[in-house]
Amino acid sequence: MPNAMIDDPMDRIAAALERMAPAPLAAPDFDAATAFVWHTEPDRLEPVEKVSRVDLSLLIGVDRARDTLLQNTRQFAAGLPANNALMWGARGMGKSSLVKAIHANVVATHEALRIVELQREDLPSVGRLLNLLRGASQRFILFCDDLSFGHDDAHYKSLKAVLDGGIEGRPENVVLYATSNRRHLMPRDMIENERGSAINPAEAVEEKVSLSDRFGLWLGFHPCDQDQYLAMIRGYCDAHGVQIDDDTLRAEAIEWQATRGARSGRVAWQYFVDLAGRKGVTLR
């Protein structure tokens, strides 16, 4: 007669799977900080004590994008309708800096506003992240920097959970701000290749290209001219107390950009960091 004390095999399997499953993620303390970074394996939201950012007033040459995104963020922070935003265009022209600077500006008057950075590689986990944010009393800017998709990259499907929300809909307290060097989030040659090789060229790329259409705001960033480049550096000098005459600054800054083969906000900051170091000024 079989031993009645022996467990059912299915019960043992179920118990083993339960032991292997990760413990449910505890509700984060969203009052611990105003900025968080999302990590996986295991899932967790880590607070950021000090965000690396510049003051909004120091961002030169992006006036239209600044004003549009600032107004959209103020609406969102106040509980009013707001759009997801895609910032695309020239490298080093302050796309991610603008997002962080606007968050700092708006959180000063809307204390419940939070920013959560999500890496592109972690997009498949975005559903779990949204479940944590959904229903919280705070309002969240979900920030994905340098977003783009290559050949056979299915990560864009996960992004639709944020933009469209599926059957549940996007949480009312979440908005997505993304930056990309590509207007349509995919390489131009990839678009042309798929159009040229597909039986139905329009359908071949429609799913991926239309992803960018799901952002309510498209904000373009374009290369700066020399006057804007020099104005950026002068603004940094004035803000941090670095003394240098205009003629010397102009000569050094133009030589610096020539060695880099580019002129952008990032190049302006890199020159300023070098200048501040030579002048013995500590940046805080």
Side-chain angles (χ1 to χ4, degrees), residues 65-127:
R66 177 200 62 207
D67 294 345
T68 302
L69 193 64
L70 183 59
Q71 179 60 37
N72 192 69
T73 307
R74 285 173 174 164
Q75 291 172 197
F76 174 69
L80 298 171
N83 274 303
N84 298 311
L86 173 63
M87 283 136 282
W88 65 275
R91 298 189 305 272
M93 280 305 298
K95 298 184 291 293
S96 60
S97 295
L98 181 63
V99 174
K100 293 182 287 186
I102 282 181
H103 169 255
N105 180 279
V106 176
V107 78
T109 53
H110 298 79
E111 297 179 355
L113 184 64
R114 302 289 182 265
I115 186 167
V116 177
E117 185 173 25
L118 170 69
Q119 301 297 325
R120 192 198 74 89
E121 293 75 14
D122 293 328
L123 278 173
S125 70
V126 72

Side-chain angles (χ1 to χ4, degrees), residues 5-228:
M5 298 300 294
I6 295 178
D7 294 334
D8 184 275
M10 296 303 296
D11 290 339
R12 293 200 302 272
I13 293 172
L17 290 175
E18 186 174 346
R19 290 193 297 270
M20 293 171 59
L25 186 62
D29 179 9
F30 290 123
D31 292 326
T34 60
F36 296 82
V37 176
W38 172 247
H39 295 285
T40 59
E41 298 181 0
D43 289 353
R44 63 197 186 281
L45 275 167
E46 290 192 357
V48 179
E49 294 184 7
K50 184 177 181 180
V51 177
S52 175
R53 58 189 169 205
V54 299
D55 189 83
L56 188 60
S57 64
L58 296 178
L59 297 178
I60 307 295
V62 293
D63 295 3
R64 179 183 175 278
R66 177 200 62 207
D67 294 345
T68 302
L69 193 64
L70 183 59
Q71 179 60 37
N72 192 69
T73 307
R74 285 173 174 164
Q75 291 172 197
F76 174 69
L80 298 171
N83 274 303
N84 298 311
L86 173 63
M87 283 136 282
W88 65 275
R91 298 189 305 272
M93 280 305 298
K95 298 184 291 293
S96 60
S97 295
L98 181 63
V99 174
K100 293 182 287 186
I102 282 181
H103 169 255
N105 180 279
V106 176
V107 78
T109 53
H110 298 79
E111 297 179 355
L113 184 64
R114 302 289 182 265
I115 186 167
V116 177
E117 185 173 25
L118 170 69
Q119 301 297 325
R120 192 198 74 89
E121 293 75 14
D122 293 328
L123 278 173
S125 70
V126 72
R128 303 195 299 273
L129 173 58
L130 293 180
N131 286 337
L132 287 177
L133 305 183
R134 190 187 303 271
S137 60
Q138 294 82 1
R139 303 186 67 76
F140 300 93
I141 298 171
L142 194 56
F143 175 44
C144 192
D145 194 21
D146 197 20
L147 185 63
S148 63
F149 304 101
H151 296 271
D152 301 321
D153 189 341
H155 282 40
Y156 72 93
K157 294 181 180 179
S158 301
L159 188 58
K160 290 182 179 180
V162 186
L163 298 173
D164 292 336
I167 193 170
E168 288 184 292
R170 174 168 56 89
E172 181 273 336
N173 63 335
V174 175
V175 70
L176 174 67
Y177 288 176
T179 71
S180 177
N181 296 330
R182 301 164 180 166
R183 184 175 184 178
H184 289 298
L185 303 177
M186 57 190 294
R188 174 63 59 184
D189 67 323
M190 179 178 169
I191 296 175
E192 298 303 328
N193 287 342
E194 292 198 21
R195 280 180 176 154
S197 60
I199 296 175
N200 188 326
E203 291 182 358
V205 295
E206 182 178 359
E207 185 177 21
K208 290 181 180 177
V209 171
S210 67
L211 183 63
S212 59
D213 292 338
R214 289 175 165 85
F215 289 89
L217 293 180
W218 279 14
L219 303 176
F221 288 69
H222 309 287
C224 61
D225 59 30
Q226 187 163 283
D227 288 341
Q228 291 172 331

Side-chain angles (χ1 to χ4, degrees), residues 233-234 237-238 241-250 252-253 271 275 278-279:
I233 299 171
R234 174 53 69 188
C237 290
D238 293 344
V242 174
Q243 301 297 319
I244 184 172
D245 65 88
D246 288 341
D247 290 340
T248 303
L249 185 151
R250 181 183 181 86
E252 289 189 359
Y271 164 73
L275 174 64
R278 289 187 279 117
K279 294 289 186 178

